[in-house]
Amino acid sequence: MDRGQNTGGLMSSAGLVRYFDAEDSNAIRIDPKTVIAFGILMGLLVQLLTFVS
């Protein structure tokens, strides 16, 4: 393969990897267990409201 030819593999995604790996100190941090628990509670609430009405 010619050295001057860019295949567009990992080099094209290297900036995105660095962007998503960076952590912002001002970002909201939510524990994954909290998200799962909230989803389960919302599902139960919808089921309860469907059953009542």
Side-chain angles (χ1 to χ4, degrees), residues 2-31:
D2 191 13
R3 284 183 169 218
Q5 190 176 12
N6 185 5
T7 58
L10 288 175
M11 291 303 290
S12 66
S13 64
L16 290 175
V17 171
R18 274 188 259 128
Y19 174 77
F20 285 114
D21 283 344
E23 290 189 27
D24 187 10
S25 61
N26 296 330
I28 298 173
R29 299 174 195 264
I30 301 174
D31 185 34

Side-chain angles (χ1 to χ4, degrees), residues 30-46:
I30 301 174
D31 185 34
K33 293 176 185 174
T34 305
V35 175
I36 298 296
F38 184 74
I40 291 172
L41 288 175
M42 289 300 292
L44 290 174
L45 178 66
V46 168

